[in-house]
Amino acid sequence: MSTGEIGEVNKESGRPVGAARNSADLKLRVRGVVKSFGSLRALRGVDLDCEVGQIHAVLGENGAGKSTLMSVVTGLLAPDEGEMFLDGHEYRPQNSQVAMRHGVGMVHQDFQLIERLSVGENLFLGWDGAPRIATVQRVHEAAAAAIARFGFSLDPATKVQDLSVGEQQRVAVVRALVRGAKVLILDEPTAALTPQEVGELFVVMRSLASQGTTIIFITHKLREVMDIADHVTVLRLGERVASFPIGECDEARLAREMLGRDVVPLERDSAEVPEGSQVVMRVESLHARDERGLLAVKDVSLQLVSHEIVGVAAIAGNGQRELSEALAGVRQVESGRIEIDGSDITSRSANAFTASGIGYIPEDRLGAGMMLRESIARNAIMKALSVRSERARLTRGFLLRPREIENYANELLAEGQVSTRDAGVPVGHLSGGNIQRLLIAREVRIASRLLIAVHPTLGLDVGATERTWQTLLDARGRGIAILLISEDLDEVLTLSDRILVMHHGEIVGEFQNRTTPPTREQLGLLMGGATPRGDSVGVSA
Amino acid sequence: MHTFELSFAAALLAATPLLLAATGELFGEILGMMNVGIEGLMLMGAVTGVIVTLHTNSPELGLLCGALAGAAYLLVVYGIPVVVFMTEQVLPGFAVWFIGLGLSQLLGNNYENTSVSSSSTVVGLPGIDRIPVIREMIGHFPWPVYVAFVLPFGVAWLLGHTRHGRNMRAIGENPATAATGAGIAVMRWRLFYVGVNGFFGGFAGAFLAVVAVGAWGPDVTAGRGFIALAVVIFSAWRARWLIVGAAFFGGLLILVELGGALAWPIPPDFLSMFPYLGAVIVLVIWSIRGRRGELSAAPTSLGVRVMSRR
């Protein structure tokens, strides 16, 4: 009835094995780890050496084997072959509890916290070292002591759901430290952070490392590796292709090792938004509510012009999702006005928005974007049937024309470089990256006037990201207006002609990215709500 | 006439099986498991309790066996599919109801309308015997009544003041995170509390048949399992409020007898609808208050299919 025997301590692990074989400072040594899932060889004999107090970056694209390797290290997966040593002793964790007892802790990308419990309750949850009987007050006192001991500042009584993303991450870090983590694995820790929060995280990482914690930093962002890591190991297709101290490499070399090729530069047909661009969409003092009935979009006015990419930078939950849905016609508007090509479509149906030439890549691709059990063909024509010209091609009266539909689907498969040519397969059988490419191809095809893209490259690897960016730039070249909503500031800064910053549902800053590009810090401050409206450098709104 | 005192005592007696079953269900629901088949579970406890009592002449043994039978029954019909094979929760809940309905009739066929004596379970509260009025109201009850009304305080303490209780709530909030993030052996915990739920549900049914009614009949529960489900919602998942909810519905349940005794000009069939009508009204009021955020919300994963292997 209690947590019981959640995994016994590995009996063999007390025995020193091959202690003389490695230098005394090696904290974790991984040798020749192989792991296969069916016919897929996810890890093909990977080595990893981490020293005490080292920040060790593990760099690789999606599917390179980073997550699989970390699952092996934390006991979530048993390796097919290979061995691991911790402090020179053989280390073979059967599950994550055993790994934790050996001092190997992980901070997952989604932090794995219980949102409706307090910070203090989360710190001690499921931990044998927590007091058995304690009032919430006592738990919070103990948590406050632990938080202070590791040099953090967090209120233990706050519910996790009321914390910012950066604070939630700190809770997850403290939770691992409280349980005695000496090896701390951070899985893509900067993915959802603002530049300021990334800075704070790096300070924390540096300070922990200086106190002797070994940090394994999983990432695919080259700049962050150069900024914070002492040593980097690069994985590609399940193999370790390089491992060197940070002083011996640069970003270009890391990119080459990670991709196995050079980075393709983006092609942009014109740096400036050309003269004579027309206003495609005009939005006037738009208000919209979220699912909880709270006002999520407040008094937003904007114009989207052909041949222009407008990037929206905002921290998750600041109204950008609701804004994108309202502009795509799938969220009811509280008040305000949306015009496309001069005609008011504010209260028209989502079909009418599509028929007006608005393509929409939603945040929730699997839920809102695709019907997973239906075939690729069915999904491909889902929105095309709302567009008059495409409908003429795909239907005859009430009847669908199967051959044309298949052709149409095959065109999308080719345009999106989806790795199947069989349009009869259910979409759910495709990988996440392939589904996303199909969705992007479908929406780009529909978007004769405007494309609304929400996190278009989230979860894509570097190669697919490059292709998606090029697709967006090509669409811009054809004169389509693009609204790009992304939490990835690199993406916003790379692609946008103009950048809007949203905070608490309002637009709090605007930058002409081609002439007066903002710094990441400027954007980060505005996104965090630091500067009052209209006060920032470069605001022209 | 002691109409008020006797009605009060009758209401508490009627509230007891509701309270026991609702307490069991609360355990399950705190861990995210909704069992809509409490009715069938109570029937299994009832028939087992009566059979054992008739054979052993020990109502205590009958109650215990009814509770254990409930635990075993719920583990097999609900626990294994929902927890081990990770099915959704509604159909196994209906299975608990219907299999219980059929199986209990089959087992109890030869015992129908044979009355059982449970006078040995009645205890007097020391000290209270000498206070008039109060004596009639709460002085002489079978011991399970006192147990049922103290139990929620223990549950509240467990949930609010112990590591164990916090782990329970974490599982109900997010089983996958409780497993991987906090390292709780979620499947084992959930199975255990299916057993606990079954134990109290079976106990409730056994109490109803052996003590409150004093005989087995296939209609002995008469929808009380569903009212117990409503009691849990009424309580907004706060253990001590189970008492208020059970007392409220217990009061509605005795309206039929009260109306008959006092010769109210209301048809008894109409009065017997009241508990169910009350349940619907409570659900509507609570839903409105819940949307306004005035009540603590249900465990986030309540009724949600768990897909974690651990």
Side-chain angles (χ1 to χ4, degrees):
Chain A
M1 101 182 246
S2 76
T3 49
E5 2 122 288
I6 34 172
E8 282 89 325
V9 176
N10 186 356
K11 304 251 173 3
E12 291 112 293
S13 66
R15 188 156 43 88
V17 178
R21 269 194 276 165
N22 49 344
S23 76
D25 273 354
L26 268 191
K27 179 71 189 173
L28 174 70
R29 222 153 64 89
V30 174
R31 281 289 164 270
V33 164
V34 173
K35 179 72 193 175
S36 300
F37 301 101
S39 60
L40 175 74
R41 298 187 70 202
L43 295 175
R44 312 168 178 219
V46 171
D47 296 349
L48 183 69
D49 293 297
C50 302
E51 292 167 21
V52 172
Q54 187 182 53
I55 298 180
H56 194 122
V58 175
L59 180 72
E61 289 209 83
N62 293 344
K66 293 171 299 184
S67 309
T68 310
L69 179 62
M70 289 310 126
S71 294
V72 168
V73 171
T74 53
L76 292 172
L77 290 174
D80 300 335
E81 285 169 43
E83 37 185 12
M84 297 189 284
F85 303 92
L86 201 61
D87 297 318
H89 304 308
E90 191 178 353
Y91 164 69
R92 200 186 297 156
Q94 299 93 330
N95 58 44
S96 57
Q97 280 78 46
V98 175
M100 196 66 252
R101 273 180 221 170
H102 282 85
V104 178
M106 177 140 172
V107 175
H108 295 267
Q109 214 172 333
D110 58 356
F111 313 141
Q112 301 267 0
L113 301 169
I114 308 278
E115 297 208 323
R116 290 209 307 192
L117 296 187
S118 70
V119 169
E121 288 176 302
N122 265 286
L123 287 186
F124 293 131
L125 218 50
W127 183 45
D128 291 344
R132 266 184 191 284
I133 295 167
T135 59
V136 173
Q137 287 76 19
R138 267 198 54 204
V139 168
H140 289 166
E141 283 162 26
I147 290 166
R149 180 152 47 94
F150 294 110
F152 287 79
S153 77
L154 283 166
D155 174 14
T158 314
K159 290 219 168 88
V160 166
Q161 64 191 8
D162 298 330
L163 297 180
S164 71
V165 176
E167 288 170 320
Q168 292 188 15
Q169 184 175 55
R170 263 170 272 159
V171 177
V173 169
V174 178
R175 178 172 65 183
L177 295 175
V178 163
R179 290 161 203 224
K182 292 290 165 211
V183 177
L184 188 63
I185 302 170
L186 304 175
D187 185 8
E188 303 270 5
T190 61
L193 301 187
T194 64
Q196 277 72 23
E197 286 176 318
V198 170
E200 289 164 23
L201 173 71
F202 283 179
V203 171
V204 166
M205 285 167 67
R206 195 35 78 199
S207 125
L208 289 173
S210 69
Q211 292 160 34
T213 307
T214 301
I215 296 176
I216 300 179
F217 173 49
I218 302 172
T219 186
H220 63 259
K221 294 185 182 167
L222 306 169
R223 190 167 30 78
E224 291 175 354
V225 172
M226 299 304 297
D227 281 354
I228 186 72
D230 301 315
H231 196 99
V232 56
T233 293
V234 185
L235 298 184
R236 192 197 324 144
L237 297 174
E239 283 180 89
R240 182 176 89 162
V241 291
S243 182
F244 30 55
I246 216 69
E248 295 176 15
C249 62
D250 55 42
E251 272 191 47
R253 167 136 191 234
L254 283 179
R256 234 177 0 257
E257 298 287 3
M258 177 166 86
L259 299 173
R261 59 173 170 80
D262 285 312
V263 178
V264 186
L266 289 172
E267 290 170 33
R268 192 188 300 271
D269 66 339
S270 61
E272 307 272 308
V273 177
E275 293 288 318
S277 296
Q278 322 128 285
V279 174
V280 172
M281 181 179 266
R282 190 192 308 275
V283 177
E284 278 166 28
S285 56
L286 186 76
H287 292 76
R289 293 184 185 275
D290 63 14
E291 278 75 14
R292 293 166 297 172
L294 305 173
L295 211 53
V297 178
K298 296 170 198 157
D299 197 21
V300 168
S301 299
L302 51 86
Q303 286 192 4
L304 302 175
V305 180
S306 63
H307 292 100
E308 186 191 37
I309 299 183
V310 176
V312 174
I315 302 168
N318 274 280
Q320 70 271 47
R321 181 170 65 84
E322 288 79 6
L323 175 65
S324 74
E325 289 171 355
L327 299 190
V330 296
R331 174 171 294 276
Q332 198 165 1
V333 167
E334 175 88 2
S335 65
R337 188 177 162 88
I338 303 171
E339 279 175 18
I340 186 140
D341 292 325
S343 61
D344 182 2
I345 54 166
T346 316
S347 52
R348 302 283 304 280
S349 69
N351 271 346
F353 279 71
T354 305
S356 316
I358 300 176
Y360 173 48
I361 301 167
E363 180 179 22
D364 175 17
R365 304 171 212 303
L366 304 187
M370 288 282 176
M371 298 186 291
L372 297 184
R373 292 185 189 181
E374 295 285 352
S375 67
I376 290 175
R378 285 267 170 106
N379 275 283
I381 60 161
M382 218 158 61
K383 296 179 83 174
L385 291 177
S386 304
V387 181
R388 187 174 301 158
S389 58
E390 306 286 9
R391 191 168 57 226
R393 172 186 165 188
L394 297 168
T395 61
R396 182 180 292 135
F398 287 122
L399 301 176
L400 296 172
R401 301 168 72 183
R403 185 154 311 149
E404 281 303 321
I405 289 171
E406 200 180 324
N407 290 341
Y408 187 84
N410 283 329
E411 289 163 23
L412 291 189
L413 290 176
E415 283 163 24
Q417 304 193 19
V418 180
S419 67
T420 179
R421 285 291 168 267
D422 182 359
V425 172
V427 165
H429 289 195
L430 300 177
S431 71
N434 276 318
I435 293 177
Q436 193 160 345
R437 290 201 289 272
L438 174 63
L439 180 84
I440 291 170
R442 182 182 78 191
E443 298 302 325
V444 168
R445 181 66 93 84
I446 304 269
S448 56
R449 302 297 294 144
L450 167 66
L451 179 65
I452 300 168
V454 187
H455 308 319
T457 59
L458 188 74
L460 293 184
D461 61 24
V462 177
T465 298
E466 283 174 353
R467 278 205 299 278
T468 303
W469 286 0
Q470 193 59 59
T471 305
L472 294 180
L473 288 174
D474 292 347
R476 171 186 180 273
R478 294 198 302 273
I480 292 161
I482 295 174
L483 183 70
L484 168 71
I485 293 180
S486 177
E487 277 164 43
D488 182 350
L489 286 187
D490 287 331
E491 181 164 83
V492 171
L493 286 164
T494 306
L495 296 178
S496 307
D497 299 296
R498 187 153 58 98
I499 296 177
L500 304 174
V501 184
M502 266 185 103
H503 178 68
H504 282 179
E506 293 180 80
I507 291 178
V508 294
E510 179 167 352
F511 298 89
Q512 294 298 335
N513 194 36
R514 296 283 156 246
T515 49
T516 49
T519 63
R520 299 173 61 83
E521 285 64 34
Q522 277 175 313
L523 287 179
L525 282 172
L526 282 170
M527 285 159 72
T531 321
R533 179 179 192 140
D535 226 30
S536 62
V537 185
V539 167
S540 60
Chain B
M1 282 288 278
H2 298 289
T3 313
F4 172 74
E5 291 91 323
L6 294 179
S7 312
F8 190 87
L12 288 196
L13 203 64
T16 299
L18 300 180
L19 189 47
L20 287 169
T23 305
E25 178 65 15
L26 180 70
F27 274 119
E29 293 200 7
I30 288 292
L31 278 82
M33 298 176 294
M34 162 113 62
N35 167 29
V36 298
I38 307 175
E39 183 82 0
L41 173 64
M42 288 176 72
L43 285 170
M44 288 303 290
V47 76
T48 312
V50 168
I51 293 174
V52 172
T53 307
L54 284 172
H55 282 285
T56 63
N57 276 326
S58 162
E60 283 80 11
L61 205 57
L63 291 172
L64 179 68
C65 289
L68 291 176
Y73 173 67
L74 198 63
L75 275 170
V76 171
V77 179
Y78 181 88
I80 290 177
V82 168
V83 180
V84 180
F85 292 102
M86 296 175 283
T87 66
E88 59 85 51
Q89 301 181 2
V90 174
L91 282 181
F94 276 109
V96 171
W97 180 18
F98 280 108
I99 295 175
L101 202 63
L103 197 57
S104 64
Q105 278 195 50
L106 190 70
L107 294 171
N109 223 352
N110 299 327
Y111 301 89
E112 226 167 287
N113 301 324
T114 316
S115 65
V116 288
S117 163
S118 61
S119 48
S120 65
T121 58
V122 176
V123 292
L125 280 187
I128 293 213
D129 275 4
R130 269 166 283 147
I131 314 169
V133 187
I134 304 285
R135 176 178 58 201
E136 272 81 43
M137 283 168 68
I138 61 167
H140 286 274
F141 274 125
W143 57 264
V145 178
Y146 301 115
V147 171
F149 279 86
V150 172
L151 195 62
F153 292 97
V155 178
W157 179 82
L158 179 73
L159 290 175
H161 286 72
T162 67
R163 181 176 87 194
H164 187 93
R166 272 184 270 276
N167 287 350
M168 287 169 70
R169 276 161 50 212
I171 294 171
E173 281 301 310
N174 190 335
T177 294
T180 50
I184 300 169
V186 169
M187 193 181 278
R188 237 175 291 174
W189 281 61
R190 283 167 61 101
L191 265 186
F192 178 82
Y193 278 102
V194 169
V196 171
N197 185 355
F199 183 90
F200 286 113
F203 189 49
F207 173 84
L208 185 65
V210 174
V211 181
V213 175
W216 160 252
D219 54 353
V220 68
T221 50
R224 281 173 176 75
F226 295 99
I227 299 179
L229 204 57
V231 169
V232 176
I233 297 169
F234 179 97
S235 77
W237 296 271
R238 296 163 299 180
R240 280 177 294 235
W241 281 83
L242 291 176
I243 297 175
V244 181
F248 171 70
F249 284 106
L252 291 179
L253 277 174
I254 64 155
L255 280 183
V256 181
E257 292 152 49
L258 203 61
L262 301 180
W264 289 351
I266 308 172
D269 288 338
F270 191 73
L271 285 174
S272 64
M273 269 169 29
F274 269 44
Y276 310 98
L277 211 56
V280 172
I281 293 169
V282 160
L283 290 183
V284 171
I285 296 173
W286 257 233
S287 166
I288 294 167
R289 289 188 57 191
R291 263 177 281 157
R292 290 203 209 120
E294 292 168 19
L295 294 170
S296 79
T300 307
S301 82
L302 181 61
V304 174
R305 188 171 168 191
V306 170
M307 298 302 284
S308 165
R309 274 259 152 242
R310 302 169 60 242

